[in-house]
Amino acid sequence: MARVDYVDHGGSGPVVVLLHSFLMDATMFAPQVAEFGAEFRFIGVNQRGHGDTPATEAFDYWDSARDVLELLDELGIDRAAFVGVSQGGFVAMRVALLDPQRVAALALISSSASPEAPPTAANYRQMATNWLEMGPIDPIVNMIAAICLGNMEAEDWKAKWRAQPTESVEVLVGALVSRDDIVGRLGEIDAPALVLQGSADLAYPLGRAREIAEGLPKAEGPIVIEGGAHFLSLTNPDEVNAHLGPFLRANI
């Protein structure tokens, strides 16, 4: 297990594990913690290479899922709901496949069960190469912001990306673009699931959300948030919370 940085927001309510997107961290769920923090015990996990969790060697999202399960063991948590945005959804689904009994419910936002499309994977690899050669220059961070955050004010996040250890970028991109296909295994996940997608998501088409919802036996959705960008929990928190709150209350 990697040394995992996390934030336990406390409280005596049911446990909800928050799993962030690529190049983000657990603070991307601030709107959900603010809205529901008195009702649930939120645990925000900073995955490998994000926050203060190191990523010094190649890994995959099965490794990240095992990190989460081992963290729950350390915290004495037997069962939790999982909320994952994009990469966080990749990890949440793999947690459910590795240890179904630990997963009370899954909220999957802007995510995918498929591998990265080859042209997109090539673009990400080129981004990593450029980042390694030139650093986090404005064209790179502005492109990430446009794809992931749409029209949202992103200066705080751009500052975090500029501070990202350059040597970790290639490892993180490697995990992203080499992930395996789990579409055929979605039927093994018996937990109730909520699938949300933004209509303005520039990273994944709506078909990815439909694929997840059709593959999971107990899925609700996909519910499309009009105008929502890829990092939907941040760009459209009110709409996300309107669906997330009732789903969590009904299933944990």
Side-chain angles (χ1 to χ4, degrees):
M1 171 183 167
R3 177 179 60 79
V4 176
D5 176 42
Y6 68 95
V7 180
D8 186 344
H9 292 278
S12 59
V15 176
V16 180
V17 176
L18 303 173
L19 297 170
H20 61 76
S21 310
F22 177 71
L23 291 181
M24 302 297 276
D25 60 34
T27 64
M28 75 175 297
F29 293 102
Q32 288 69 50
V33 173
E35 180 73 14
F36 304 117
E39 193 171 350
F40 303 108
R41 179 186 172 188
F42 283 118
I43 296 175
V45 179
N46 287 322
Q47 300 158 54
R48 296 189 188 197
H50 301 82
D52 288 329
T53 302
T56 56
E57 58 187 26
F59 69 94
D60 61 28
Y61 294 128
W62 295 100
D63 295 322
S64 298
R66 293 183 186 96
D67 291 343
V68 173
L69 288 167
E70 291 182 30
L71 175 62
L72 294 183
D73 288 342
E74 287 189 4
L75 296 175
I77 295 168
D78 294 327
R79 190 168 166 85
F82 292 78
V83 179
V85 178
S86 191
Q87 174 181 293
F90 310 159
V91 176
M93 286 184 276
R94 285 163 174 80
V95 168
L97 288 168
L98 287 172
D99 198 345
Q101 299 306 311
R102 305 293 287 274
V103 180
L106 289 171
L108 303 169
I109 303 170
S110 311
S111 198
S112 173
S114 299
E116 207 66 61
T120 306
N123 289 338
Y124 283 133
R125 290 191 187 279
Q126 186 60 55
M127 180 195 76
T129 297
N130 294 342
W131 195 316
L132 288 168
E133 291 177 352
M134 297 178 283
I137 58 176
D138 285 350
I140 294 175
V141 297
N142 290 340
M143 176 192 70
I144 295 169
I147 292 172
C148 296
L149 293 168
N151 296 323
M152 179 181 170
E153 170 60 45
E155 290 309 310
D156 289 348
W157 289 106
K158 289 179 183 179
K160 287 189 178 186
W161 298 334
R162 292 186 182 102
Q164 178 76 25
T166 301
E167 63 274 12
S168 73
V169 173
E170 189 172 21
V171 174
L172 297 182
V173 169
L176 180 68
V177 302
S178 63
R179 71 180 186 274
D180 56 333
D181 187 341
I182 60 170
V183 173
R185 297 193 61 188
L186 292 176
E188 300 173 35
I189 300 175
D190 194 47
L194 173 68
V195 182
L196 298 177
Q197 179 86 9
S199 68
D201 190 325
L202 299 180
Y204 294 136
L206 180 57
R208 296 292 183 93
R210 289 198 184 103
E211 192 171 55
I212 293 172
E214 290 169 2
L216 293 172
K218 296 181 180 177
E220 175 185 346
I223 296 170
V224 179
I225 305 299
E226 192 61 37
H230 188 50
F231 291 166
L232 202 54
S233 66
L234 271 176
T235 63
N236 294 71
D238 291 344
E239 295 95 325
V240 168
N241 291 351
H243 295 286
L244 184 62
F247 172 76
L248 292 175
R249 292 184 195 110
N251 291 291
I252 60 173

